[in-house]
Amino acid sequence: VDRQNPARVMRALEVTLASGRPFSELRSGAKAPRNFKIVKTGIDIPRAELYSRIDRRVDAMVSSGLEDEARSVFHLKHLSALNTVGYKELFSYFEGQISRDEAVELIKRNSRRYAKRQLTWFRRDDSVTWFDNKRIGEIENFIKKFAW
């Protein structure tokens, strides 16, 4: 466990206390054989289109009650599970730090940034095969090659 990372230390302690076994014992086992194959695919979409879709999705979430949902858990805002895009911006609005419009724009911006980080992460994985979003029908044929 990385002792300089408090979140990882806490997780290791939680696992140890819950299992009654040392964390190192749980991590050092050999990987069990699997009766399936992992095929990683990614859909490549132009960034402008992706960002437009994100903005529309945030608008739809807000229209569908995201604010009410966030209000219902506002009293739990101290939990790390609620320190996520969407909630944290609305919590700032509820606390009077920003306007509602600013909160919505921040949700859009932070969602776009999160998507960019995800793409960066997955593009480093050489085992991912990328497909153009206009040709996703090719994915099915690609996956069929791996059936046994």
Side-chain angles (χ1 to χ4, degrees), residues 56-121:
R56 288 193 313 266
R57 177 69 182 132
V58 170
D59 288 337
M61 290 169 60
V62 171
S63 295
S64 296
L66 178 61
E67 184 177 340
D68 291 337
E69 180 182 326
R71 281 191 194 283
S72 74
V73 295
F74 181 63
H75 67 285
L76 302 170
K77 68 179 182 156
H78 62 281
L79 299 174
S80 61
L82 295 177
N83 185 25
T84 58
V85 174
Y87 287 136
K88 65 183 175 183
E89 295 85 358
L90 286 171
F91 292 163
S92 292
Y93 161 57
F94 300 156
E95 293 170 338
Q97 298 171 359
I98 59 176
S99 71
R100 184 178 186 278
D101 288 343
E102 286 174 304
V104 172
E105 286 307 312
L106 285 173
I107 293 169
K108 291 176 181 181
R109 184 199 72 188
N110 293 337
S111 295
R112 291 188 302 264
R113 287 180 176 177
Y114 187 66
K116 186 174 186 288
R117 287 193 304 273
Q118 287 178 319
L119 285 170
T120 299
W121 173 268

Side-chain angles (χ1 to χ4, degrees), residues 4 8 14 17 22 24-25 28 36 39 48 50 56 62 71 91 96 98 101 107 115 119 124 126 130 134-135 138 141:
Q4 301 302 314
R8 288 190 180 180
E14 290 168 353
L17 292 173
S24 58
E25 180 182 311
S28 62
F36 57 88
V39 179
L50 174 62
R56 288 193 313 266
V62 171
R71 281 191 194 283
F91 292 163
I98 59 176
D101 288 343
I107 293 169
L119 285 170
R124 282 188 289 205
D126 292 333
W130 291 91
K134 303 288 189 232
R135 297 168 49 182
E138 296 174 3
N141 291 330

Side-chain angles (χ1 to χ4, degrees), residues 119-136:
L119 285 170
T120 299
W121 173 268
F122 284 112
R123 290 205 194 286
R124 282 188 289 205
D125 185 344
D126 292 333
S127 66
V128 175
T129 301
W130 291 91
F131 293 86
D132 184 280
N133 73 312
K134 303 288 189 232
R135 297 168 49 182
I136 59 173

Side-chain angles (χ1 to χ4, degrees), residues 135-148:
R135 297 168 49 182
I136 59 173
E138 296 174 3
I139 295 174
E140 184 178 0
N141 291 330
F142 175 75
I143 291 173
K144 283 180 181 177
K145 291 184 211 175
F146 295 91
W148 63 86

